[in-house]
Amino acid sequence: MSSKIQDVEALVNQKYRHGFVTDIESDSLPPGLDEDVVAAISRKKHEPQFLLDWRLKAFRHWQTMKEPVWAHVHYKPIDYQDIVYYSAPRAPANAPKSLDEVDPKLLATYAKLGIPLHERARLAGVAVDAVFDSVSVATTFKDKLGKAGVIFCSFSDAVRDHPELIERHLGSVVPAGDNFFAALNSAVFSDGSFVYVPPGVRCPMELSTYFRINAAKTGQFERTLIIAAEGASVSYLEGCTAPMRDENQLHAAVVELVALDDARIKYSTVQNWYPGDENGLGGIFNFVTKRGECRGRNSKISWTQVETGSAITWKYPSCVLKGENSVGEFYSVAVANNYQQADTGTKMIHIGRNTRSTIVAKGISAGHAENVYRGLVKILPSAEGARNFTQCDSLLMGPTCAAHTFPYMEVKNPTATVEHEASTSKIGEDQLFYCLQRGISAEDAVNMIVSGFCKVVFKELPMEFAVEAQNLLSVSLEGAVG
Amino acid sequence: MAGKDILKGVDLEVKAGEVHAIMGPNGSGKSTLAQVLAGRTDYEVTEGSVLFEGRDLLALAAEERARAGLFLGFQYPVEIPGVNNVYLLKAALNAKRKAAGLPEVDAYDFLALIKQKMKVMQMSESFLTRGVNEGFSGGEKKRNEVLQMLVLEPKLAILDETDSGLDIDALKVVSMGVNSLRDPTRAVVLVTHYQRLLDYIVPDFVHVLSGGRILKSGDRSLALELEKRGYDWVLEDQTP
């Protein structure tokens, strides 16, 4: 049945569709990193002193750190002096004030990507903050959100307009020196998104950020900070693409979520960075630190990710469950084909009483890819009555890929309940033949089987993005019906 | 793995309107025959030919055979978690219709059709929302196979031990389903161990398959004789 395996491979090996480059003038710093570069970034963004100090502290700390080697990934050493740390599309005069002022070429790029930035955004009811290389280009729906009291803007705007919120919360979940890549990000981050939802407010629309790396040799270091005040709720989605380039590009983002009493944050990611070609040349190194803190009682943070891109993915969206009765969730589909490497999972740190967490991780491996689930469930002595449920499933396509599961558990409270289920299966020849015998083509059959495998995760995504996620796996929406 | 001859001489003609039963001891090649006809590529056909309505069946891929009207009721229907039972069936029907140049069936018409067929098979509506064979009991899986057959209306249905694991009530329902499909334009091949099934689905012909060969053919009375006397006498008859 080797021809069928090839069908499967052909299907997952579809050409990367976002690999174009936009020819646009950009304002970049030369490659390299030292304190002057850090200061220059801060200066370009007219930042207050506290932020410059914070960056410099992070940078000095970073210099004392070593790149981590524990992840189950392999790559040539990164030359941090050969990276451009700041690249901005050159605008006629400073930043655009409205969509009309945005460079039409940029808008065309987004249109090509299928991002609902303009009219489509209105139809979809999604507010988009688009980050192009290093700077946030436009934030839609600012007004409507403003009426609800929701602040949704680029990180730079937030630094200018709400410095007190930034100063209070920046680094409160992911400290500047948390890990090698977080420290690097803290030193050089150039933009990102900021969300503040005031007490009792339910954010009236889905918020969304679209990241794109365009310039060559550019690293993208964005920073996202989302704060849901008491009783607030918000759903946020990020999507990512990059052009095809032979050299690897670094993406080291930091995302911090803060949920106060009774607050809810739902954070969804559809990550489709360029994965490199079928021989493993090029592609994005996606080394990302994402962490949410359920600081208040009854708060809830839910991560959903669909990771299909990047040469290497190294990320563990985590929840620190401090507040009593707080809930952390992690739903993940990670696809790795060709020579992609994914080492992803989550950490659930139970601190408060009766905290609960759910982990559902689905890994799909094809080609020569390595797909790792790595997760930590940590129950501290204070977490009386804590519960965790973990389910990890791996689907293998073909004989040359691999799946690994590294679940770590540290349980320091005897009243806690921790459950773990794991399975590894090959995309069944029997399943495939069953579908073929019913007249269904191999391509449709694989789509169906993969979609079924991922269903529990996809149903966690906001509707319009579930479609995108399904498409990414070349699965039709109908597959999820029922 | 390779290199074992399983079927060594199966000469069989099934005409429209006929029901054939293939019986035989364990390991005689019954299921292999069913799988080979359905297009499973784990088996290599080294010799011989198969014509289906005048076409070279072996030249067609499994899905093409299905669309041409060949249906296999599996002995062990596989579970496909997360894939909706009805969705699979709708995709199957539409694949077949598309191949025949017909428009796809719309969701409402399909639902009406499947509800009607489910009634025949005495299946509860919960089947509409469940995954393909996911968590089905053995009997439910077999009913589901026959349900699929009723919806797809094949020209030739090969039912591989569709009776195994069924209690008597389920056996009656399954038989009723198969019988409802009997008409002068269709043929059914039943692969079975037990005469019991043939009380409900009365075959026109009965064949004994053993050691990869059809050793004996007859009418319904052969099945009754097999039940009485076992297979040994057929095997002995063949010894030169």
Side-chain angles (χ1 to χ4, degrees):
Chain A
M1 196 144 243
S2 66
S3 67
K4 292 296 176 288
I5 293 294
Q6 280 157 13
D7 286 344
V8 172
E9 285 179 353
L11 194 73
V12 290
N13 287 347
Q14 283 180 352
K15 280 259 157 51
Y16 188 73
R17 272 181 301 209
H18 305 295
F20 54 87
V21 179
T22 304
D23 182 18
I24 207 159
E25 236 189 303
S26 66
D27 168 24
S28 305
L29 288 173
L33 182 57
D34 55 25
E35 291 202 5
D36 290 343
V37 169
V38 174
I41 294 170
S42 188
R43 201 161 50 243
K44 273 183 180 293
K45 308 192 77 67
H46 312 286
E47 288 178 353
Q49 187 63 36
F50 82 86
L51 200 48
L52 174 61
D53 295 343
W54 196 77
R55 286 177 180 278
L56 288 171
K57 202 174 148 198
F59 177 69
R60 286 167 198 147
H61 189 72
W62 178 73
Q63 286 178 305
T64 69
M65 300 174 92
K66 283 213 159 62
E67 210 171 311
V69 292
W70 48 263
H72 193 83
V73 296
H74 311 279
Y75 56 92
K76 272 194 233 140
I78 299 170
D79 181 354
Y80 291 92
Q81 296 305 330
D82 195 36
I83 292 173
V84 173
Y85 287 87
Y86 183 85
S87 169
R90 201 190 299 274
N94 281 330
K97 297 286 182 294
S98 76
L99 270 183
D100 306 334
E101 291 177 30
V102 172
D103 189 323
K105 271 191 203 157
L106 256 187
L107 292 180
T109 301
Y110 289 127
K112 229 188 267 184
L113 290 167
I115 312 168
L117 194 68
H118 234 155
E119 288 304 313
R120 290 173 60 181
R122 219 169 287 272
L123 289 173
V126 175
V128 180
D129 182 26
V131 178
F132 196 82
D133 284 336
S134 299
V135 298
S136 182
V137 181
T139 305
T140 53
F141 288 100
K142 236 178 210 171
D143 295 346
K144 187 174 174 190
L145 291 168
K147 277 188 194 119
V150 175
I151 303 168
F152 176 38
C153 60
S154 72
F155 205 92
S156 308
D157 287 356
V159 168
R160 190 188 62 217
D161 300 337
H162 310 281
E164 70 297 339
L165 285 172
I166 297 291
E167 191 164 11
R168 186 174 346 141
H169 293 286
L170 179 68
S172 71
V173 181
V174 180
D178 185 79
N179 67 66
F180 184 82
F181 296 108
L184 178 63
N185 174 287
S186 300
V188 302
F189 75 90
S190 34
D191 215 328
S193 294
F194 176 80
V195 177
Y196 175 80
V197 187
V201 172
R202 195 190 175 92
C203 186
M205 58 181 73
E206 301 273 350
L207 303 181
S208 173
T209 301
Y210 213 95
F211 294 110
R212 178 163 175 83
I213 299 177
N214 192 61
K217 285 198 165 184
T218 305
Q220 182 150 337
F221 305 93
E222 82 274 0
R223 191 139 189 134
T224 301
L225 175 57
I226 299 177
I227 302 152
E230 292 79 0
S233 72
V234 60
S235 171
Y236 185 92
L237 185 124
E238 60 172 8
C240 330
T241 60
M244 292 196 258
R245 294 188 190 281
D246 287 347
E247 73 272 21
N248 297 111
Q249 284 177 285
L250 179 61
H251 173 250
V254 171
V255 175
E256 295 180 277
L257 313 181
V258 178
L260 302 181
D261 286 357
D262 304 301
R264 266 151 218 279
I265 301 175
K266 184 177 175 63
Y267 194 104
S268 312
T269 304
V270 175
Q271 185 265 109
N272 188 26
W273 294 120
Y274 179 52
D277 68 9
E278 62 273 17
N279 299 314
L281 186 66
I284 301 291
F285 290 168
N286 191 33
F287 299 163
V288 172
T289 306
K290 293 183 168 178
R291 194 175 305 155
E293 191 171 289
C294 285
R295 206 170 280 173
R297 302 158 56 99
N298 309 318
S299 55
K300 178 176 172 182
I301 289 178
S302 183
W303 298 100
T304 305
Q305 60 172 21
V306 176
E307 303 281 323
T308 60
S310 296
I312 301 178
T313 294
W314 186 95
K315 65 179 262 200
Y316 314 91
S318 305
C319 296
V320 179
L321 303 169
K322 264 191 190 159
E324 210 173 299
N325 299 323
S326 61
V327 176
E329 292 175 339
F330 174 75
Y331 298 95
S332 170
V333 168
V335 182
N337 68 325
N338 293 324
Y339 286 87
Q340 274 180 285
Q341 306 173 61
D343 192 311
T344 183
T346 185
K347 287 189 276 185
M348 292 290 173
I349 315 292
H350 292 255
I351 300 171
R353 290 165 61 91
N354 296 322
T355 46
R356 281 164 292 150
S357 63
T358 303
I359 299 170
V360 177
K362 303 273 183 178
I364 300 169
S365 319
H368 298 271
E370 295 263 357
N371 206 333
V372 174
Y373 169 79
R374 187 187 303 277
L376 170 68
V377 176
K378 190 170 184 172
I379 313 261
L380 275 78
S382 53
E384 197 78 13
R387 298 176 71 97
N388 162 265
F389 172 76
T390 300
Q391 185 189 343
C392 305
D393 299 315
S394 304
L395 189 65
L396 302 176
M397 296 182 174
T400 51
C401 56
H404 311 272
T405 303
F406 302 115
Y408 302 89
M409 284 177 216
E410 286 176 39
V411 181
K412 303 247 170 66
N413 185 310
T415 65
T417 313
V418 177
E419 289 174 74
H420 182 95
E421 286 178 12
S423 77
T424 301
S425 54
K426 286 202 168 177
I427 193 155
E429 304 279 294
D430 287 342
Q431 292 175 332
L432 202 51
F433 182 64
Y434 191 85
C435 296
L436 293 174
Q437 211 300 306
R438 296 299 181 252
I440 295 164
S441 70
E443 184 178 327
D444 289 349
V446 169
N447 281 346
M448 233 183 252
I449 295 165
V450 170
S451 157
F453 178 75
C454 300
K455 191 177 187 175
V456 290
V457 174
F458 284 169
K459 75 180 172 50
E460 294 297 324
L461 286 172
M463 190 56 172
E464 54 272 43
F465 300 113
V467 180
E468 187 181 345
Q470 293 247 5
N471 285 341
L472 272 180
L473 294 175
S474 59
V475 169
S476 79
L477 178 65
E478 285 170 293
V481 169
Chain B
M1 304 276 267
K4 187 173 173 239
D5 288 341
I6 304 173
L7 297 173
K8 298 160 191 162
V10 178
D11 223 339
L12 193 62
E13 186 175 7
V14 178
K15 293 205 182 78
E18 295 176 351
V19 172
H20 291 240
I22 296 180
M23 306 182 73
N26 288 328
S28 59
K30 301 189 297 294
S31 285
T32 302
L33 176 61
Q35 299 267 327
V36 167
L37 290 176
R40 183 114 198 183
T41 48
D42 299 350
Y43 303 101
E44 189 192 346
V45 178
T46 51
E47 254 180 89
S49 65
V50 182
L51 292 180
F52 181 59
E53 296 192 308
R55 293 168 80 183
D56 178 3
L57 189 75
L58 300 180
L60 301 177
E63 62 272 30
E64 294 168 323
R65 298 182 198 190
R67 292 171 199 158
L70 187 149
F71 178 91
L72 173 62
F74 285 81
Q75 184 181 2
Y76 303 110
V78 65
E79 298 193 9
I80 311 179
V83 176
N84 180 266
N85 205 30
V86 174
Y87 176 71
L88 178 107
L89 192 45
K90 184 164 165 253
L93 181 61
N94 281 333
K96 195 178 167 183
R97 289 178 65 91
K98 211 171 140 195
L102 296 167
E104 296 200 347
V105 60
D106 77 48
Y108 291 104
D109 292 346
F110 183 74
L111 201 62
L113 172 71
I114 196 167
K115 281 189 171 167
Q116 180 214 330
K117 302 295 185 191
M118 280 168 62
K119 210 176 245 172
V120 175
M121 296 310 296
Q122 299 181 19
M123 291 162 83
S124 76
E125 295 226 338
S126 70
F127 274 80
L128 292 172
T129 53
R130 291 166 75 178
V132 177
N133 294 314
E134 201 178 352
F136 284 22
S137 70
E140 285 176 327
K141 284 182 183 172
K142 296 299 172 72
R143 269 184 213 222
N144 197 36
E145 292 294 289
V146 178
L147 173 75
Q148 295 186 3
M149 180 185 78
L150 293 186
V151 170
L152 296 174
E153 300 186 318
K155 289 269 175 57
L156 171 63
I158 302 167
L159 303 177
D160 191 3
E161 298 201 19
T162 299
D163 54 331
S164 65
L166 296 183
D167 61 33
I168 194 73
D169 292 333
L171 183 67
K172 281 182 188 166
V173 172
V174 161
S175 302
M176 208 164 57
V178 175
N179 285 330
S180 76
L181 200 75
R182 280 181 90 157
D183 76 29
T185 65
R186 296 176 216 289
V188 178
V189 173
L190 302 167
V191 172
T192 182
H193 273 295
Y194 303 107
Q195 200 295 122
R196 193 180 63 159
L197 175 70
L198 308 182
D199 289 341
Y200 298 98
I201 308 172
V202 180
D204 301 300
F205 300 95
V206 175
H207 310 277
V208 178
L209 184 68
S210 180
R213 281 177 228 277
I214 289 189
L215 296 187
K216 198 170 181 64
S217 298
D219 61 14
R220 160 133 176 71
S221 62
L222 176 58
L224 296 167
E225 197 172 355
L226 287 170
E227 184 171 55
K228 245 182 264 160
R229 299 174 60 188
Y231 290 108
D232 288 352
W233 65 277
V234 182
L235 307 182
E236 280 157 21
D237 269 11
Q238 297 299 314
T239 341

